[in-house]
Amino acid sequence: MLRTRQHDFGSHGRQTVRARVLEEFCRRLARDYRVWVAPVAEVAEHVLAARSH
């Protein structure tokens, strides 16, 4: 089980997300043209650039 600050990834637990479910969610996001999936640093650069204009 992989532990993050507030949620776990694995097979059981109160705030646990199953890895298979998370992978499918990410695949669906990546296929949806309305959602921009990018690393946090890339999003931050975009936001900063937009604010400077």
Side-chain angles (χ1 to χ4, degrees), residues 6-25:
Q6 299 186 359
H7 298 283
D8 298 330
F9 298 94
S11 60
H12 65 286
R14 203 171 82 128
Q15 293 183 342
T16 301
V17 176
R18 290 191 172 111
R20 186 171 39 122
V21 173
L22 181 61
E23 288 170 358
E24 179 59 27
F25 175 74

Side-chain angles (χ1 to χ4, degrees), residues 2 9 17-39:
L2 172 67
F9 298 94
V17 176
R18 290 191 172 111
R20 186 171 39 122
V21 173
L22 181 61
E23 288 170 358
E24 179 59 27
F25 175 74
C26 291
R27 276 194 292 275
R28 286 179 185 223
L29 279 181
R31 291 190 306 253
D32 191 334
Y33 70 92
R34 299 169 297 172
V35 178
W36 179 25
V37 178

Side-chain angles (χ1 to χ4, degrees), residues 36-48:
W36 179 25
V37 178
V40 172
E42 185 179 336
V43 175
E45 288 174 9
H46 177 79
V47 170
L48 290 173

